[in-house]
C-alpha cells in the first residue's frame, strides 16, 4: 500500500504525459510524413489515403448547387473532394473578405464525412488569369500582364510584385480563417495553390520587366541549388546545365543555352518564386500540405503550347530551388501513358498525388497502380460529379481500397506491395516479394481470357499474400534458395469488418483452376487471401 501511495504520483504524471502526447498527436494539423518507403498524408495521427475526385470548376461556387452532389460522392466511396475556391469570391472588394462559402463547404463536407482539398483559384488557372477579382483585372498598371507581340494579354505577369502581395495576402487571410474554423476537425487536409500555371501562346513573358529579368544574372539561389543537388537533378535539366558548362553565374542564355527551353526554365523560376511566396504566407497562418499541379506537355511540344513554366518533371528542380513552402508537385494525368508519367513524378522525394486524372473504367484500374506500385497517397479524377453513380467502376475500386486502406498504408511503408494494370498488349508482370516470385497475368479459365485486369498484392505474413482487384491470376515460384515447388494451401475471399478479417467463400476448384493459380475473376472486384506451402 505504502509503495502504491509512493508510486501513484509518478503513475499519474506518466498517464498525464501519455494523454498530453496523445492529444498533441490527434490535434496536430494534417501533414506529410516519410514513413519507411512512402511519404504519406497524416491526418489525426494516421495515414490517410485519399480516394477523391475533383469537382467541375464552378460547382462549389454555390452551396445549393452542391447539396445533392455530396451524397452522390459518398455513395461512390469517396473520402475526400478536391474543391475549387476562387479569389474573386473570397475578396470581391479589396481588403474585405467573405468566407461564407468556405464555411458552408466545410459544413457540407463534414455532414457527409468527407475531407476537402481546397483549390485556390487566384492569379492563374489553366495558364490564363480569370479568377482574380475585378479590382485586380482592371488595374493593369498595378497588376501588370504578360506581353505578347507588344500587347498585354489575359495572363497576370509573375513579375508584378503587387500581384504577388495581393494574392499572398488573400491566401494568408483564407488560411487564417481555415485555421480558426477547422484546426480541431481537420476537414481541410491540403491546399492546391493556383491551377496549371504557365504562359500560353509564347515560351515566355515579353513584358519590359520580364525582358529585364531575362537579360540579368540567374539568381545564385538557383545555381547553388543545381550544384548542391547535382546527382539527383532530373536528367534533362542536368544535361542542359552540363551542355553549357555547369556555370555558377551568368545570364539565363549563358547558363542554359539560347533556346525556348531556357525560356521555360526562366518562367518556371518566376512562377515558382511567386507561388512559393503565396504558399509561405499561407503556411505562416496555418501549416497544412500545399502543392501545385501541372498541365502535362505533349511529346515534342514547345513551351507555350503547354503552359510554359508549370512544374513539368524536368523543371521541378527549379521550383524546389525557389523555396520549400510547396510540399510536392503533381501531374494532371490524362495521358494514356499513366505509369510512365507516374514514375516521372514519383522520384527524388516527390510523392505521387494526382489532383486530376481520368475516372470511370480507366480510373478504376489506374488507382490500383498509383497506390499499389507508386505508393501514391491520393487519386482524384476530374469532373467527379458527372460520373457519380452506384454502379460506377471507380466507386467499386474505391470501395475495395477503402476496405483495405489501413493495411495498404502499412505495406506502402514496408515497401511490400505491388500494383498493376494488365490488358492484351501488356498481359503479364512479375514481382519478387516475401520470399516468392509472383507471375501475374490476365485471368484465364477453360480457354477464356479476361480482356483486362488490375489490382494490387501485398505480403500478408509468412507464406501468405492479400490481393485485391479483378481479371488477373497469379502463379508462384519460390526464390531459388527456398525449396523446389510451391503449392496453394488455401484461398479465401473476404473483407475487413471493424479492422478484423472476415472470410467469405473458400475458393477452390474452378475458382483456383483446380489449385493451379490464385484467381481474381473479371466479373467483379474481390479481396482475397492466399496461403502457400512448399514441397520437394
Ligand atoms: C484541366 C484543368 O486543371 C481543370 O480545371 C479543367 O479545366 C480541366 N482541364 C478540363 O478538362
Amino acid at each position: 500500500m505504502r509503495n502504491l501511495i509512493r508510486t501513484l504520483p509518478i503513475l499519474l504524471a506518466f498517464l498525464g504525459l501519455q494523454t498530453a502526447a496523445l492529444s498533441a498527436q490527434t490535434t496536430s494539423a494534417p501533414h506529410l510524413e516519410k514513413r519507411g518507403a512512402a511519404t504519406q498524408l497524416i491526418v489525426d495521427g494516421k495515414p490517410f489515403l485519399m480516394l477523391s475526385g475533383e469537382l467541375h470548376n464552378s460547382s462549389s461556387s454555390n452551396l445549393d448547387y452542391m447539396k445533392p452532389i455530396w451524397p452522390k460522392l459518398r455513395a461512390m466511396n469517396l473520402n475526400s473532394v478536391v474543391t475549387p475556391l476562387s479569389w474573386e469570391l473570397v475578396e470581391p472588394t479589396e481588403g474585405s473578405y467573405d468566407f461564407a462559402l468556405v464555411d458552408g463547404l466545410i459544413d457540407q463536407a463534414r455532414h457527409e464525412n468527407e475531407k476537402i482539398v481546397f483549390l485556390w483559384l487566384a492569379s492563374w488557372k489553366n495558364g490564363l488569369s480569370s479568377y482574380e477579382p475585378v479590382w485586380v483585372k482592371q488595374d493593369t498598371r498595378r497588376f501588370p500582364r504578360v506581353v505578347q507581340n507588344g500587347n498585354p494579354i489575359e495572363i497576370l505577369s509573375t513579375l508584378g510584385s503587387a500581384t504577388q502581395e495581393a494574392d499572398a495576402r488573400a491566401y494568408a487571410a483564407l488560411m487564417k480563417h481555415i485555421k480558426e474554423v477547422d484546426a480541431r476537425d481537420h476537414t481541410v487536409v491540403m491546399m492546391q495553390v493556383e491551377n496549371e500555371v504557365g504562359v500560353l501562346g509564347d515560351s515566355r513573358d515579353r513584358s519590359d520587366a520580364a525582358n529585364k529579368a531575362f537579360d540579368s544574372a540567374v539568381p545564385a539561389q538557383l545555381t547553388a541549388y543545381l550544384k548542391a543537388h547535382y546527382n539527383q537533378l532530373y536528367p534533362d535539366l542536368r544535361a542542359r546545365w552540363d551542355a553549357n558548362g555547369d556555370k555558377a553565374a551568368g545570364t539565363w542564355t549563358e547558363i542554359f543555352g539560347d533556346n525556348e527551353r531556357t525560356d521555360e526554365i526562366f518562367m518556371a523560376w518566376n512562377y515558382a518564386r511567386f507561388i512559393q511566396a503565396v504558399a509561405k504566407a499561407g503556411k505562416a497562418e496555418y501549416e497544412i500540405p500545399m502543392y501545385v499541379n501541372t498541365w502535362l506537355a505533349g511529346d515534342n511540344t514547345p513551351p507555350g503550347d503547354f503552359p510554359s513554366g508549370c512544374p513539368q518533371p524536368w523543371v521541378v528542380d527549379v521550383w524546389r530551388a525557389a523555396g520549400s513552402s510547396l510540399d510536392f508537385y503533381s501531374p494532371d494525368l490524362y495521358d494514356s501513358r499513366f505509369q510512365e508519367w507516374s514514375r516521372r513524378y514519383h522520384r527524388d522525394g516527390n510523392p505521387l498525388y494526382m489532383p486530376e486524372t481520368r475516372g470511370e473504367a480507366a480510373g478504376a484500374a489506374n488507382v490500383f497502380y498509383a497506390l499499389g506500385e507508386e505508393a501514391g497517397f491520393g487519386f482524384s479524377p476530374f469532373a467527379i460529379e458527372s460520373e457519380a453513380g452506384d454502379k460506377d467502376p471507380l466507386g467499386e475500386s474505391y470501395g475495395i481500397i477503402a476496405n483495405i486502406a489501413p493495411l495498404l498504408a502499412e505495406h506502402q511503408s514496408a515497401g511490400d506491395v505491388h500494383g498493376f494494370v494488365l490488358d492484351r498488349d501488356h498481359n503479364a508482370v512479375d514481382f519478387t516479394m516475401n520470399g516468392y516470385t509472383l507471375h501475374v497475368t490476365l485471368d484465364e479459365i477453360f480457354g477464356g481470357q479476361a480482356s483486362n485486369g488490375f489490382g494490387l498484392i501485398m505480403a500478408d505474413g509468412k507464406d501468405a499474400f492479400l490481393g485485391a482487384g479483378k481479371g488477373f491470376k497469379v502463379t508462384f515460384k519460390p526464390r531459388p534458395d527456398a525449396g523446389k515447388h510451391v503449392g496453394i494451401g488455401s484461398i479465401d475471399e473476404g473483407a475487413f469488418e471493424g479492422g478484423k478479417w472476415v472470410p467469405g467463400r473458400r475458393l477452390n476448384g474452378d475458382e483456383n483452376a483446380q489449385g493451379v493459380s490464385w484467381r481474381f475473376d473479371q466479373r467483379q472486384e474481390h479481396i482475397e487471401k492466399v496461403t502457400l506451402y512448399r514441397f520437394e
Side-chain angles (χ1 to χ4, degrees):
M1 186 67 181
R2 240 219 201 127
N3 274 348
L4 182 65
I5 290 169
R6 243 191 251 141
T7 50
L8 203 57
I10 301 170
L11 196 67
L12 288 176
F14 176 71
L15 284 177
L17 281 178
Q18 291 279 84
T19 325
L22 207 67
S23 70
Q25 195 185 34
T26 50
T27 55
S28 76
H31 61 279
L32 295 182
E33 210 173 287
K34 175 110 175 73
R35 294 191 168 184
T39 297
Q40 298 180 317
L41 173 65
I42 307 298
V43 181
D44 296 328
K46 291 195 290 265
F48 183 64
L49 291 177
M50 304 185 64
L51 305 172
S52 280
E54 181 170 320
L55 297 165
H56 278 288
N57 299 157
S58 308
S59 301
S60 51
S61 65
N62 183 281
L63 293 174
D64 283 337
Y65 188 89
M66 279 302 295
K67 268 187 200 153
I69 293 179
W70 291 103
K72 277 206 219 165
L73 303 180
R74 192 67 236 165
M76 268 180 74
N77 301 309
L78 268 77
N79 60 14
S80 46
V81 184
V82 182
T83 307
L85 184 66
S86 65
W87 185 9
E88 63 174 342
L89 293 181
V90 162
E91 195 185 4
T93 313
E94 186 169 9
S96 99
Y97 300 105
D98 182 348
F99 295 119
L101 183 62
V102 177
D103 294 345
L105 291 168
I106 292 177
D107 269 2
Q108 291 184 339
R110 280 184 192 154
H111 192 254
E112 288 297 329
N113 203 15
E114 296 283 351
K115 300 289 184 192
I116 284 183
V117 174
F118 273 129
L119 206 162
W120 176 237
L121 296 174
S123 295
W124 301 285
K125 197 257 174 203
N126 295 28
L128 304 177
S129 301
S130 62
Y131 278 93
E132 70 277 32
V134 177
W135 56 267
V136 175
K137 283 182 181 158
Q138 65 195 9
D139 193 346
T140 52
R141 262 176 190 283
R142 192 169 153 214
F143 306 112
R145 307 287 184 87
V146 164
V147 170
Q148 275 175 20
N149 302 319
N151 294 311
I153 58 165
E154 299 265 7
I155 304 179
L156 289 165
S157 172
T158 53
L159 278 302
S161 54
T163 319
Q164 182 180 310
E165 278 155 28
D167 191 335
R169 200 165 43 238
Y171 185 66
L174 170 66
M175 294 314 296
K176 181 169 188 273
H177 182 78
I178 293 176
K179 184 175 185 183
E180 277 160 15
V181 298
D182 196 46
R184 201 197 52 177
D185 292 274
H186 305 148
T187 302
V188 182
V189 293
M190 296 203 302
M191 299 295 295
Q192 180 182 306
V193 195
E194 319 288 347
N195 187 78
E196 293 190 348
V197 302
V199 171
L200 276 175
D202 197 349
S203 51
R204 73 169 175 87
D205 183 356
R206 313 256 170 202
S207 61
D208 288 347
N211 288 341
K212 193 167 165 232
F214 189 72
D215 292 335
S216 308
V218 171
Q221 189 180 338
L222 175 53
T223 48
Y225 184 97
L226 298 181
K227 189 165 178 228
H229 297 83
Y230 183 80
N231 290 329
Q232 295 87 47
L233 293 179
Y234 199 85
D236 174 90
L237 182 71
R238 190 170 56 202
R240 273 171 209 290
W241 197 38
D242 286 350
N244 293 283
D246 297 328
K247 293 189 195 82
T251 63
W252 292 87
T253 49
E254 281 163 2
I255 290 193
F256 298 109
D258 191 1
N259 57 61
E260 59 193 5
R261 290 285 163 184
T262 299
D263 294 350
E264 184 191 3
I265 295 171
F266 170 75
M267 286 321 307
W269 172 259
N270 282 293
Y271 279 103
R273 208 183 26 74
F274 185 119
I275 299 173
Q276 292 279 7
V278 173
K280 189 172 182 188
K283 279 196 166 174
E285 297 297 340
Y286 186 36
E287 188 164 352
I288 58 176
M290 296 181 187
Y291 69 93
V292 169
N293 66 336
T294 313
W295 166 336
L296 298 179
D299 283 336
N300 305 316
T301 43
D305 281 9
F306 61 87
S308 180
C310 67
Q312 304 292 340
W314 45 89
V315 291
V316 162
D317 293 306
V318 177
W319 280 74
R320 286 173 152 185
S324 54
S325 296
L326 293 167
D327 297 277
F328 60 95
Y329 301 89
S330 283
D332 287 350
L333 217 175
Y334 298 95
D335 193 287
S336 57
R337 287 161 303 166
F338 185 89
Q339 304 189 5
E340 189 180 327
W341 281 107
S342 295
R343 285 192 293 269
R344 287 176 178 172
Y345 277 88
H346 179 210
R347 74 177 291 279
D348 192 23
N350 193 62
L352 188 64
Y353 166 77
M354 231 161 272
E356 290 184 43
T357 184
R358 291 193 288 157
E360 299 178 336
N366 288 336
V367 63
F368 281 90
Y369 178 84
L371 273 54
E373 189 63 13
E374 302 293 341
F377 68 79
F379 190 82
S380 172
F382 181 71
I384 193 69
E385 69 271 48
S386 292
E387 73 176 281
D390 296 352
K391 302 259 176 317
D392 187 89
L394 181 73
E396 187 185 5
S397 291
Y398 277 7
I400 290 285
I401 294 176
N403 190 264
I404 58 173
L407 205 63
L408 174 56
E410 259 177 47
H411 287 272
Q412 284 185 333
S413 297
D416 55 6
V417 50
H418 285 283
F420 45 86
V421 176
L422 305 174
D423 57 28
R424 292 267 160 90
D425 295 330
H426 310 93
N427 58 12
V429 61
D430 286 3
F431 304 113
T432 297
M433 65 173 154
N434 206 18
Y436 292 89
T437 298
L438 286 71
H439 182 56
V440 185
T441 54
L442 285 173
D443 186 36
E444 203 167 4
I445 185 85
F446 304 134
Q449 198 188 45
S451 53
N452 54 60
F454 53 82
L456 59 81
I457 297 175
M458 56 183 105
D460 190 37
K462 188 171 170 339
D463 301 324
F465 293 92
L466 182 146
K470 71 175 185 180
F472 66 93
K473 68 183 169 65
V474 189
T475 52
F476 299 89
K477 274 197 230 137
R479 281 216 315 244
D481 54 334
K484 260 193 185 148
H485 305 289
V486 184
I488 290 180
S490 64
I491 301 174
D492 290 317
E493 67 179 359
F496 289 92
E497 280 173 27
K500 197 171 159 286
W501 174 250
V502 179
R505 288 179 303 165
R506 169 61 54 99
L507 300 179
N508 207 337
D510 295 343
E511 278 68 56
N512 69 358
Q514 332 308 325
V516 172
S517 59
W518 183 24
R519 292 187 56 219
F520 289 73
D521 74 52
Q522 62 178 321
R523 283 170 300 178
Q524 69 179 68
E525 296 183 26
H526 305 265
I527 306 171
E528 297 179 15
K529 284 190 176 209
V530 64
T531 61
L532 305 174
Y533 67 93
R534 294 174 187 180
F535 60 99
E536 291 300 322

